[in-house]
Amino acid sequence: MTELSGGPALPQERRVVTAIPGPKSQELWARKQETVAAGVGAVLPVFVKRAGGGVLEDVDGNSLIDFGSGIAVTSVGNSAEAVVRRATAQLADFTHTCAMVTPYESYVEVCEQLAELTPGNHAKKSALFNSGAEAVENAVKIARAYTKRQAVVVFDHGYHGRTNLTMALTAKNMPYKHGFGPFAPEVYRVPLAYPYRWLTGPENCAQEAADQVITQITKQIGAENVAAIIIEPVLGEGGFIEPAKGFLPAIANFAKENGIVFVADEIQSGFCRTGQWFACEDEGVVPDLITTAKGIAGGLPLAAVTGRAEIMDAAHAGGLGGTYGGNPVACAAALGSIETMRELDLNARAKHIEEVMKGRLTAMQEKYDIIGEVRGRGAMIAIELVKSGSKDPNPEATGALAKACHQEGLLVLTTGTFGNVLRFLPPLVIGDDLLNEGLDILEAAFGTL
């Protein structure tokens, strides 16, 4: 009998045949402990053998419902047909030349697609990299080269990466920054319009937060010293926070009025994840630069900075790049991923997932008062868990829920500055049966608390 491959051919069913993790995964975990640095952890120590659609199959034969997508990476599903087809063809032709040495067409094609898909009808250019952190770091380089300024403004609860500069940009200490300083200078953090936790209420959040941000920048930093303002239009690691409506346009307008490069970090929220190609489109915000990674290439490492041509061209020749940046196999995969998103209309699919998930989660909120808020857009949905009768964060319940879901074959992820947010990032190709079965498992897990 031919062994089943992964990808869309994998049976779309939950199957729990051993304890999770099972004996083979436990053996592999013991091997990992011997040779892999302790700092490289795992949310759920099951070792995956195959994956596709909305499931992950482990080495013990368990098939788990995937509400993580490798942290918003496999939006088109693992081993999507177009991704495999294009990447396989490229592997057979050549694997690497270094785009900075001898370029190739697929790099140009990806940049052409980014110019078409990203917000705004102005002339755009892109540069390709390997990871989201690289993209953000290079956006800062470009903004500084363009403005001849140094200061960078970021926001409470924001996450931008694990390199030295992007750790400075990231808000949360543990596990991202603890013990790794000193960090890069000229980084300034300002308040975020976080409606659920705004002291005077969500109705006042946008205006008051924008006023505070603008005052801090003008009085404490000096707008004329700021090269870039960087924000996630929907925050990722910070807890899937949607800034209050009106906040993003106000900050973008302030940046424009003061010659500051406005950077939208769409690494987690981009490529159909929120029901639009990019989350900043929701309020018509057109960033000067936009950083992308994660969902861009169906699981292969690729990232980009895309922006106004005159800004992108500010860096001198040779000032941008990297040995593997825009690898030809990753570029081929990105073209296959974008092809899949278009053909399957994954923006529409994300909106359908939102409708299903928010409907079910809101009903759970009415039943369980530890769900303080249901929020998010598209297939980027979260619940913030609190202690009964308050808004005090409840990371204990969050961890217990995640563990209960894992034991039943549902992969979920926790997040948030306070560790009290369960986030849901299913592949956009997940079927409704699996989606609802996953939500059934989550609801049953609440009953175990």
Side-chain angles (χ1 to χ4, degrees), residues 3 23 83 90 117-118 127 130 168 185 193 212 219 260 348 363 383 392 395 401 417 433 449:
E3 190 175 31
V83 172
Q90 180 60 56
L117 293 172
T118 52
N130 301 295
Q212 286 187 27
K219 302 302 181 185
I260 300 168
I383 52 175
D392 294 342
L401 276 172
T417 299
D433 288 351
L449 296 180

Side-chain angles (χ1 to χ4, degrees), residues 2-12 49-52 55 57 78-79:
T2 303
E3 190 175 31
L4 289 170
S5 64
L10 200 63
Q12 296 297 291
K49 185 175 183 180
R50 287 181 287 257
V55 297
E57 184 181 298
N78 258 290
S79 299

Side-chain angles (χ1 to χ4, degrees), residues 302-327:
L302 188 68
V305 182
T306 302
R308 298 183 186 278
E310 67 274 17
I311 299 177
M312 291 297 298
D313 281 344
H316 56 272
L320 303 177
T323 302
Y324 294 106
N327 170 270

Side-chain angles (χ1 to χ4, degrees), residues 21-50:
K24 291 182 180 178
S25 280
Q26 291 180 43
E27 289 175 14
L28 285 166
W29 185 254
R31 286 171 56 189
K32 175 186 179 295
Q33 302 293 77
E34 291 295 318
T35 57
V36 179
V40 181
V43 171
L44 177 58
V46 300
F47 283 74
V48 174
K49 185 175 183 180
R50 287 181 287 257

